[in-house]
Amino acid sequence: MRTAKGGESPGASPPTTLVDGGIVMGSERMEMRKRQMTAAQEPPGSVPDQPGAGNRGSNACCFCWCCCCSCSCLTVRNQEDQRLTRASHELRTELPTCEESPTPTLEEVNAWAQSFDNLMVTPAGRNAFREFLRTEFSEENMLFWMACEELKKEANKNIIEEKARIIYEDYISILSPKEVSLDSRVREVINRNMVEPSQHIFDDAQLQIYTLMHRDSYPRFMNSTVYKDLLQSLSEKTAEA
Protein backbone atom coordinates (compact mmCIF):
# COMPACT_ATOMS: atom_id res chain seq x y z
CA MET A 1 0.00 0.00 0.00
CA ARG A 2 1.37 3.34 -1.01
CA THR A 3 1.30 6.49 1.22
CA ALA A 4 0.29 9.91 0.05
CA LYS A 5 3.92 10.72 -0.75
CA GLY A 6 4.22 7.77 -3.08
CA GLY A 7 6.28 5.59 -0.71
CA GLU A 8 5.59 2.08 0.49
CA SER A 9 4.21 1.23 3.86
CA PRO A 10 6.52 -0.76 6.15
CA GLY A 11 4.27 -3.84 6.05
CA ALA A 12 3.91 -3.95 2.30
CA SER A 13 4.17 -7.33 0.47
CA PRO A 14 7.27 -8.10 -1.71
CA PRO A 15 6.99 -7.37 -5.43
CA THR A 16 5.37 -10.05 -7.62
CA THR A 17 5.98 -11.15 -11.22
CA LEU A 18 3.54 -12.64 -13.77
CA VAL A 19 4.74 -15.92 -15.39
CA ASP A 20 2.60 -17.68 -18.01
CA GLY A 21 -0.49 -16.02 -16.70
CA GLY A 22 0.29 -17.00 -13.06
CA ILE A 23 1.76 -15.06 -10.19
CA VAL A 24 5.16 -16.18 -8.89
CA MET A 25 6.70 -14.66 -5.80
CA GLY A 26 10.18 -13.05 -6.14
CA SER A 27 11.85 -15.64 -3.96
CA GLU A 28 10.31 -18.46 -6.01
CA ARG A 29 11.66 -16.91 -9.21
CA MET A 30 15.17 -16.95 -7.75
CA GLU A 31 14.75 -20.63 -6.80
CA MET A 32 13.64 -21.48 -10.35
CA ARG A 33 16.69 -19.69 -11.77
CA LYS A 34 19.01 -21.69 -9.46
CA ARG A 35 17.48 -24.98 -10.63
CA GLN A 36 17.90 -23.99 -14.28
CA MET A 37 21.57 -23.11 -13.77
CA THR A 38 22.23 -26.39 -11.94
CA ALA A 39 20.60 -28.41 -14.72
CA ALA A 40 22.67 -26.60 -17.35
CA GLN A 41 25.91 -27.49 -15.56
CA GLU A 42 25.19 -31.26 -15.39
CA PRO A 43 26.84 -33.35 -18.17
CA PRO A 44 24.46 -34.70 -20.80
CA GLY A 45 23.29 -38.25 -20.30
CA SER A 46 23.92 -38.22 -16.56
CA VAL A 47 21.31 -39.93 -14.44
CA PRO A 48 20.71 -39.71 -10.73
CA ASP A 49 22.04 -42.45 -8.51
CA GLN A 50 19.76 -45.43 -8.14
CA PRO A 51 18.71 -46.42 -4.64
CA GLY A 52 20.73 -49.32 -3.33
CA ALA A 53 23.41 -48.91 -5.96
CA GLY A 54 26.04 -48.31 -3.31
CA ASN A 55 29.54 -47.92 -4.71
CA ARG A 56 29.03 -50.23 -7.70
CA GLY A 57 31.09 -48.96 -10.62
CA SER A 58 29.78 -48.23 -14.08
CA ASN A 59 31.45 -51.41 -15.30
CA ALA A 60 29.56 -53.65 -12.90
CA CYS A 61 28.97 -57.11 -14.31
CA CYS A 62 25.63 -57.32 -16.06
CA PHE A 63 25.14 -61.01 -15.22
CA CYS A 64 26.00 -60.97 -11.53
CA TRP A 65 25.90 -58.58 -8.61
CA CYS A 66 29.41 -59.15 -7.29
CA CYS A 67 30.62 -55.73 -8.46
CA CYS A 68 33.19 -57.28 -10.79
CA CYS A 69 34.30 -55.18 -13.71
CA SER A 70 35.09 -57.89 -16.26
CA CYS A 71 32.74 -60.79 -15.51
CA SER A 72 35.65 -62.57 -13.83
CA CYS A 73 33.36 -65.00 -12.02
CA LEU A 74 31.92 -66.18 -15.34
CA THR A 75 35.40 -66.47 -16.80
CA VAL A 76 36.53 -68.72 -13.96
CA ARG A 77 33.38 -70.82 -14.32
CA ASN A 78 33.90 -71.23 -18.06
CA GLN A 79 37.55 -72.20 -17.57
CA GLU A 80 36.53 -74.83 -15.01
CA ASP A 81 33.87 -76.26 -17.37
CA GLN A 82 36.43 -76.45 -20.18
CA ARG A 83 38.92 -78.21 -17.90
CA LEU A 84 36.32 -80.81 -16.87
CA THR A 85 35.32 -81.34 -20.51
CA ARG A 86 38.95 -81.94 -21.53
CA ALA A 87 39.47 -84.30 -18.59
CA SER A 88 36.32 -86.22 -19.47
CA HIS A 89 37.43 -86.54 -23.10
CA GLU A 90 40.87 -87.76 -22.04
CA LEU A 91 39.39 -90.38 -19.72
CA ARG A 92 36.95 -91.55 -22.40
CA THR A 93 39.70 -92.05 -24.98
CA GLU A 94 42.03 -93.72 -22.50
CA LEU A 95 40.75 -97.24 -23.25
CA PRO A 96 42.48 -98.53 -26.41
CA THR A 97 40.57 -100.06 -29.28
CA CYS A 98 42.89 -103.05 -29.08
CA GLU A 99 45.19 -103.96 -26.21
CA GLU A 100 48.86 -104.31 -26.95
CA SER A 101 49.93 -107.94 -26.68
CA PRO A 102 52.37 -110.36 -28.29
CA THR A 103 51.05 -112.94 -30.74
CA PRO A 104 49.57 -115.76 -28.68
CA THR A 105 51.19 -119.16 -28.78
CA LEU A 106 49.39 -122.32 -29.82
CA GLU A 107 49.38 -123.47 -26.21
CA GLU A 108 47.68 -120.26 -25.08
CA VAL A 109 44.99 -120.49 -27.76
CA ASN A 110 44.33 -124.13 -26.86
CA ALA A 111 44.01 -123.06 -23.22
CA TRP A 112 41.23 -120.65 -24.15
CA ALA A 113 39.06 -123.62 -24.99
CA GLN A 114 39.54 -125.06 -21.51
CA SER A 115 37.91 -122.20 -19.60
CA PHE A 116 36.57 -118.72 -19.99
CA ASP A 117 38.94 -117.51 -17.28
CA ASN A 118 41.92 -118.60 -19.39
CA LEU A 119 40.56 -116.55 -22.27
CA MET A 120 39.93 -113.40 -20.24
CA VAL A 121 43.19 -113.41 -18.30
CA THR A 122 45.42 -112.62 -21.30
CA PRO A 123 45.36 -109.46 -23.49
CA ALA A 124 45.55 -111.61 -26.63
CA GLY A 125 42.53 -113.61 -25.49
CA ARG A 126 40.52 -110.46 -24.74
CA ASN A 127 41.44 -108.98 -28.12
CA ALA A 128 40.28 -112.08 -29.98
CA PHE A 129 37.07 -112.21 -27.94
CA ARG A 130 36.42 -108.51 -28.56
CA GLU A 131 36.81 -109.07 -32.29
CA PHE A 132 34.17 -111.78 -32.08
CA LEU A 133 31.81 -109.68 -29.94
CA ARG A 134 32.09 -106.92 -32.52
CA THR A 135 30.58 -109.24 -35.13
CA GLU A 136 27.67 -109.87 -32.76
CA PHE A 137 27.21 -106.17 -31.94
CA SER A 138 27.83 -106.80 -28.25
CA GLU A 139 31.33 -105.40 -27.80
CA GLU A 140 29.97 -103.05 -25.10
CA ASN A 141 29.95 -105.98 -22.67
CA MET A 142 33.72 -106.38 -22.94
CA LEU A 143 34.29 -102.61 -22.93
CA PHE A 144 32.25 -102.25 -19.75
CA TRP A 145 34.12 -105.10 -18.05
CA MET A 146 37.48 -103.58 -19.02
CA ALA A 147 36.43 -100.09 -17.85
CA CYS A 148 35.51 -101.55 -14.46
CA GLU A 149 38.94 -103.19 -14.24
CA GLU A 150 40.59 -99.82 -14.93
CA LEU A 151 38.42 -98.11 -12.31
CA LYS A 152 39.56 -100.57 -9.62
CA LYS A 153 43.16 -99.46 -10.15
CA GLU A 154 42.42 -95.81 -9.30
CA ALA A 155 43.15 -94.28 -5.90
CA ASN A 156 42.48 -90.59 -6.58
CA LYS A 157 38.98 -89.67 -5.38
CA ASN A 158 38.37 -87.07 -8.09
CA ILE A 159 39.43 -89.42 -10.88
CA ILE A 160 37.30 -92.22 -9.40
CA GLU A 161 34.23 -89.96 -9.41
CA GLU A 162 34.87 -88.80 -12.98
CA LYS A 163 35.50 -92.31 -14.32
CA ALA A 164 32.46 -93.65 -12.49
CA ARG A 165 30.32 -90.94 -14.07
CA ILE A 166 31.66 -91.76 -17.54
CA ILE A 167 31.08 -95.49 -17.08
CA TYR A 168 27.55 -94.79 -15.87
CA GLU A 169 26.75 -92.55 -18.83
CA ASP A 170 28.29 -94.95 -21.36
CA TYR A 171 27.07 -98.33 -20.12
CA ILE A 172 24.47 -97.99 -17.33
CA SER A 173 22.22 -95.14 -18.44
CA ILE A 174 19.11 -96.24 -20.31
CA LEU A 175 19.75 -93.36 -22.73
CA SER A 176 23.09 -94.75 -23.86
CA PRO A 177 23.31 -96.69 -27.14
CA LYS A 178 25.95 -98.89 -25.42
CA GLU A 179 23.78 -99.78 -22.42
CA VAL A 180 24.57 -103.22 -20.98
CA SER A 181 21.90 -105.63 -19.78
CA LEU A 182 21.53 -105.50 -15.99
CA ASP A 183 18.72 -106.45 -13.64
CA SER A 184 16.79 -103.78 -11.73
CA ARG A 185 18.32 -104.66 -8.35
CA VAL A 186 21.87 -103.99 -9.55
CA ARG A 187 20.79 -100.75 -11.23
CA GLU A 188 19.13 -99.47 -8.06
CA VAL A 189 22.25 -100.14 -6.01
CA ILE A 190 24.40 -98.30 -8.55
CA ASN A 191 22.02 -95.33 -8.65
CA ARG A 192 22.18 -94.99 -4.86
CA ASN A 193 25.95 -95.29 -4.73
CA MET A 194 26.57 -92.75 -7.50
CA VAL A 195 26.13 -90.02 -4.89
CA GLU A 196 29.59 -90.92 -3.60
CA PRO A 197 31.09 -93.58 -5.91
CA SER A 198 34.03 -95.80 -5.03
CA GLN A 199 36.27 -97.85 -7.31
CA HIS A 200 34.08 -100.88 -6.54
CA ILE A 201 30.72 -99.30 -7.34
CA PHE A 202 30.21 -101.51 -10.42
CA ASP A 203 31.47 -104.82 -8.98
CA ASP A 204 28.05 -106.50 -8.99
CA ALA A 205 27.30 -105.24 -12.49
CA GLN A 206 30.71 -106.34 -13.73
CA LEU A 207 30.18 -109.85 -12.37
CA GLN A 208 26.76 -110.01 -13.99
CA ILE A 209 28.17 -109.06 -17.40
CA TYR A 210 31.10 -111.46 -16.97
CA THR A 211 28.62 -114.28 -16.30
CA LEU A 212 26.55 -113.25 -19.30
CA MET A 213 29.56 -113.35 -21.62
CA HIS A 214 30.63 -116.70 -20.17
CA ARG A 215 27.27 -118.39 -20.64
CA ASP A 216 26.10 -116.70 -23.80
CA SER A 217 28.99 -115.45 -25.96
CA TYR A 218 31.88 -117.71 -24.99
CA PRO A 219 30.42 -120.98 -26.39
CA ARG A 220 29.71 -119.27 -29.72
CA PHE A 221 33.20 -117.79 -29.78
CA MET A 222 34.74 -121.26 -29.51
CA ASN A 223 32.80 -122.30 -32.62
CA SER A 224 33.41 -119.08 -34.52
CA THR A 225 35.68 -118.53 -37.50
CA VAL A 226 37.61 -115.97 -35.43
CA TYR A 227 38.83 -118.65 -33.05
CA LYS A 228 39.12 -121.48 -35.56
CA ASP A 229 41.10 -119.42 -38.07
CA LEU A 230 43.52 -118.26 -35.38
CA LEU A 231 43.97 -121.81 -34.11
CA GLN A 232 44.58 -123.15 -37.62
CA SER A 233 47.08 -120.40 -38.44
CA LEU A 234 49.12 -121.08 -35.32
CA SER A 235 48.97 -124.82 -35.89
CA GLU A 236 50.37 -124.44 -39.40
CA LYS A 237 53.20 -122.17 -38.23
CA THR A 238 54.11 -124.65 -35.52
CA ALA A 239 54.14 -127.51 -38.01
CA GLU A 240 56.36 -125.58 -40.40
CA ALA A 241 58.81 -124.79 -37.64
Side-chain angles (χ1 to χ4, degrees):
M1 178 177 179
R2 293 183 177 274
T3 62
K5 294 182 180 181
E8 294 180 354
S9 62
S13 300
T16 60
T17 305
L18 289 175
V19 177
D20 294 334
I23 299 177
V24 180
M25 303 301 293
S27 60
E28 294 180 354
R29 183 176 66 175
M30 293 179 63
E31 183 64 25
M32 290 176 61
R33 184 177 293 273
K34 289 180 180 179
R35 291 180 181 176
Q36 292 173 354
M37 292 176 64
T38 302
Q41 293 175 357
E42 291 181 355
S46 62
V47 294
D49 293 340
Q50 296 294 331
N55 296 325
R56 186 181 304 125
S58 60
N59 291 328
C61 176
C62 56
F63 296 103
C64 59
W65 296 97
C66 59
C67 300
C68 57
C69 59
S70 61
C71 295
S72 59
C73 58
L74 295 180
T75 301
V76 172
R77 179 64 181 272
N78 290 338
Q79 290 175 348
E80 180 65 14
D81 290 344
Q82 291 174 3
R83 185 189 67 79
L84 292 175
T85 301
R86 287 196 301 269
S88 176
H89 177 71
E90 291 173 359
L91 290 174
R92 269 197 166 91
T93 57
E94 194 173 277
L95 198 63
T97 304
C98 183
E99 296 180 80
E100 293 184 4
S101 66
T103 302
T105 64
L106 180 60
E107 290 75 19
E108 287 177 333
V109 175
N110 281 324
W112 298 349
Q114 297 173 8
S115 73
F116 185 57
D117 291 341
N118 288 343
L119 172 69
M120 292 291 286
V121 78
T122 64
R126 292 192 294 269
N127 285 337
F129 192 46
R130 279 180 67 181
E131 182 182 349
F132 168 74
L133 292 176
R134 215 171 285 130
T135 65
E136 292 201 332
F137 304 101
S138 58
E139 185 186 12
E140 65 273 5
N141 291 331
M142 175 64 82
L143 294 176
F144 170 68
W145 185 87
M146 294 174 65
C148 292
E149 288 294 295
E150 291 295 321
L151 179 63
K152 292 177 184 178
K153 301 175 183 177
E154 292 295 343
N156 184 288
K157 186 176 183 294
N158 292 331
I159 296 180
I160 289 173
E161 291 179 352
E162 184 64 17
K163 281 192 172 184
R165 182 187 64 80
I166 292 173
I167 292 174
Y168 184 92
E169 292 177 353
D170 286 351
Y171 304 109
I172 308 299
S173 172
I174 60 175
L175 302 178
S176 173
K178 297 186 292 183
E179 176 196 6
V180 296
S181 179
L182 300 171
D183 61 42
S184 59
R185 179 191 64 83
V186 172
R187 287 183 180 277
E188 289 174 2
V189 172
I190 292 174
N191 289 335
R192 288 198 301 268
N193 292 337
M194 279 299 294
V195 177
E196 191 173 352
S198 71
Q199 62 265 54
H200 299 287
I201 184 175
F202 301 113
D203 281 4
D204 289 344
Q206 184 187 22
L207 177 60
Q208 198 167 98
I209 294 303
Y210 188 89
T211 303
L212 175 65
M213 292 189 295
H214 183 192
R215 295 178 178 177
D216 185 57
S217 303
Y218 174 63
R220 291 199 299 274
F221 168 72
M222 299 310 303
N223 292 317
S224 69
T225 57
V226 173
Y227 177 74
K228 290 181 177 179
D229 289 349
L230 178 60
L231 183 63
Q232 182 178 355
S233 174
L234 292 173
S235 299
E236 291 175 353
K237 288 181 180 179
T238 303
E240 292 174 358

